[in-house]
Amino acid sequence: LKKIDIKNLYYSKPLSKDLSYLKKKNDSSVVLLIGNLRSTFMVNSLIELSNNLIYGLKKIKKNYDFKIRIVGKFKPSSEIQKKMKFNWIKFTGWVKNSDLEYKNAKYLFTLNTYALSARTKIIEAMSCGTIVLTYENNIKGILQNMRNNNNILIAKNSDMFIRQFEMILKNPKLQKKISLNARKICKKYYNPSTIIKKNIDLILKK
């Protein structure tokens, strides 16, 4: 077998799902968080949401209409449920078709502050034009083609995350730009078929 420098391989594990066939609801105001609520990724995300973001989101909610939809099997801790007991935050539990969740969401939050398990969700959301807000740890070193305020929104800390979210809510033109660019970049760089082909070409290259 030919020796391949792992650094040259295209990001491909796990492969994301291509959701580009979905047509978005333009009037949506839904923010989506999705994943197994007992996974490290979602536990960390819910802690970040309930401890560091909820106060800022409550302030934004006074001026902008949005709803947070948290999708995934199992229930969060009673402490987290208590901190997020608002009529604009809903824990749905397990759903049969997660594709519809991406279709109906305007935004995806990946709130884990460690670089764990968020990348497939980011790519899947972007492939159908969902606007992703995430922390830089989920992007750095792997998703090099992601550009802040161009095809995604990337925050360094919770204060910046809140500022980014408020900014995008008040700017319909930027919403449209990021949604469109997200679809384009996923098609060009992160489409599963494209990734597989590029890696095969790299392995077979003499």
Side-chain angles (χ1 to χ4, degrees), residues 6 12 66 71 119 144 157 166 170:
I6 191 72
S12 61
F66 63 88
V71 177
R119 290 161 188 153
Q144 296 95 334
N157 52 53
E166 186 171 20
K170 66 173 70 170

Side-chain angles (χ1 to χ4, degrees), residues 161-172:
F161 194 100
I162 291 297
R163 291 197 303 271
Q164 292 274 59
F165 185 46
E166 186 171 20
M167 174 193 70
I168 194 68
L169 285 171
K170 66 173 70 170
N171 194 333

Side-chain angles (χ1 to χ4, degrees), residues 1-9 202-206:
L1 291 176
K2 183 180 177 182
K3 185 177 179 180
I4 300 295
D5 186 347
I6 191 72
K7 291 185 294 184
N8 291 330
L9 287 176
L202 180 63
I203 292 168
L204 297 178
K205 188 178 179 180
K206 296 182 180 179

Side-chain angles (χ1 to χ4, degrees), residues 13-187:
K13 185 178 181 181
L15 280 172
S16 57
K17 186 177 181 181
D18 182 10
L19 300 179
S20 60
Y21 74 95
L22 294 174
K23 293 184 178 180
K24 302 290 291 179
K25 292 179 63 177
N26 294 327
D27 60 344
S28 173
S29 61
V30 174
V31 176
L32 176 66
L33 284 82
I34 188 166
N36 184 324
L37 268 58
R38 290 184 183 173
S39 67
T40 304
F41 160 65
M42 282 299 285
V43 169
N44 182 239
S45 294
L46 294 178
I47 290 172
E48 176 67 10
L49 177 61
S50 61
N51 288 350
N52 299 326
L53 297 175
I54 197 68
Y55 177 75
L57 291 171
K58 283 166 63 178
K59 290 182 68 175
I60 295 174
K61 182 67 179 167
K62 294 177 182 178
N63 298 314
Y64 299 96
D65 181 37
F66 63 88
K67 295 179 180 179
I68 296 177
R69 187 171 171 86
I70 302 171
V71 177
K73 62 181 179 180
F74 302 118
K75 292 182 179 180
S77 68
S78 57
E79 181 182 359
I80 285 177
Q81 289 187 67
K82 186 176 180 180
K83 287 182 178 180
M84 296 195 291
K85 196 172 183 180
F86 302 99
N87 61 7
W88 45 277
I89 298 178
K90 182 177 181 180
F91 290 91
T92 70
W94 179 83
V95 296
K96 188 174 182 179
N97 188 344
S98 62
D99 289 13
L100 293 179
E101 298 296 331
Y102 285 104
K103 176 183 178 180
N104 294 329
K106 181 81 171 242
Y107 308 97
L108 175 80
F109 282 4
T110 54
L111 303 178
N112 55 314
T113 49
Y114 307 110
L116 296 171
S117 304
R119 290 161 188 153
T120 53
K121 292 177 177 61
I122 289 172
I123 294 171
E124 286 171 355
M126 291 176 69
S127 73
C128 66
T130 303
I131 299 168
V132 174
L133 290 89
T134 191
Y135 285 114
E136 64 179 357
N137 283 348
N138 296 321
I139 304 298
K140 191 184 298 182
I142 274 289
L143 303 177
Q144 296 95 334
N145 296 294
M146 303 299 184
R147 297 289 180 266
N148 196 20
N149 297 318
N150 180 270
N151 48 48
I152 192 171
L153 293 170
I154 305 168
K156 294 182 179 180
N157 52 53
S158 56
D159 289 338
M160 184 177 178
F161 194 100
I162 291 297
R163 291 197 303 271
Q164 292 274 59
F165 185 46
E166 186 171 20
M167 174 193 70
I168 194 68
L169 285 171
K170 66 173 70 170
N171 194 333
K173 287 185 179 179
L174 185 59
Q175 293 170 21
K176 189 173 182 179
K177 171 187 170 183
I178 291 179
S179 177
L180 181 61
N181 287 344
R183 281 183 178 270
K184 287 179 179 178
I185 198 172
C186 282
K187 183 177 181 180

